[in-house]
Amino acid sequence: MPYQSVFRPDLFAGQVILVTGGGSGIGRCTTHELAALGATVAIVGRDADKLATVQAEIEAEGIRGRVTTYACDIRKEEQVIAMVDEVLARHGRIDGLVNNAGGQYRQPLKDISSKGFEAVVRLNLFGGFQVMREVYNRWMANNGGSIVNIIADIWGGWANYGHSGAARGGMWTLSESAASEWAPDGVRVNCVAPGGIESSGFDTYEPEAQAEILKFPPTIPAQRYGNVAEMSGAIVYLLSPVASFITGSCIRVDGGAPNARICWNPPTPLNGTPSDKSRPYRGFHLDARPKLLTEGITKKSSR
């Protein structure tokens, strides 16, 4: 069974779209959907083996030549410049950019080291900025294009993830600034802000953070986790022609999490389980639930 996209199969025929963090999670799913919709997808990440696995998955479905891989640490300027130049040399264009690479860990602000704070900001803000800038300067300034930056549910702050909240908030305002500066060149810049999205990323957190993740669904209006296909759909929409008058905007994919204010009383079913009335869209045929949600907390803390 191929990817079950709601968009027409040839939507991105002839286009080249660059996806950072394309080896797992949201990036992997988005790569599958874009390839299914006719795009040539240049996927970027630090782990060449993960990128090769995604490429092999797509080629196994008979979609050959639509995925190329580039090992790159987006925190390093020289690697970003070389990567963008290589994509352009191979494909001759970059029509879209999905700035998805990122990561963080759970820790109170008072305990975050300067080195740890800088590392998270450098990945989630500075790295994304470098990719945006180089794609714009080397192609989009003269040819137009669409950029989608992945941020997070940062509205009202992000306690215990202050370093990532600062970086993602910076990426949001950076996107608004770029949307204004680059619109006259035909370049649109938007964001997608995920809330609790079940993906392989859940399994990378320490046990303390995983315990908090497991408490999440009953605390938000939708009463469930989102999934990577629901994220990919929002990204694809913003890349598509129907979003041609949308720039400087953000689509939240969070089940209404920021709307669950203190005056909202979560339902408390007799059996203690969240409501199942919000039905997920599961378009990604290869998606597997993270081990955290199928096996529980199994890893030991390294802190």
Side-chain angles (χ1 to χ4, degrees), residues 133-184:
R133 183 193 63 201
E134 296 309 318
V135 167
Y136 173 80
N137 285 338
R138 283 171 159 69
W139 178 260
M140 290 187 180
N142 294 321
N143 300 279
S146 177
I147 296 171
V148 179
N149 294 321
I150 309 307
I151 54 171
D153 175 11
I154 54 172
W155 325 114
W158 196 1
N160 294 311
Y161 294 89
H163 42 10
S164 188
R168 310 292 188 160
M171 181 57 79
W172 167 227
T173 57
L174 176 66
S175 299
E176 290 185 298
S177 300
S180 180
E181 291 187 25
W182 297 349

Side-chain angles (χ1 to χ4, degrees), residues 42-85:
I43 55 174
V44 177
R46 285 180 285 175
D47 190 325
D49 291 338
K50 285 185 177 181
L51 299 177
T53 296
V54 175
Q55 182 181 36
E57 289 173 350
I58 292 171
E59 291 185 345
E61 296 175 357
I63 306 176
R64 299 193 64 84
R66 291 200 187 157
V67 178
T68 54
T69 66
Y70 306 85
C72 172
D73 185 341
I74 65 169
R75 298 170 297 182
K76 298 180 179 179
E77 183 178 41
E78 68 281 4
Q79 290 191 25
V80 171
I81 293 171
M83 176 270 293
V84 173
D85 282 345

Side-chain angles (χ1 to χ4, degrees), residues 253-276:
V253 184
D254 56 24
N259 306 110
R261 297 177 180 272
I262 196 168
C263 59
W264 180 67
N265 296 312
T268 53
L270 292 178
N271 62 5
T273 60
S275 166
D276 63 356

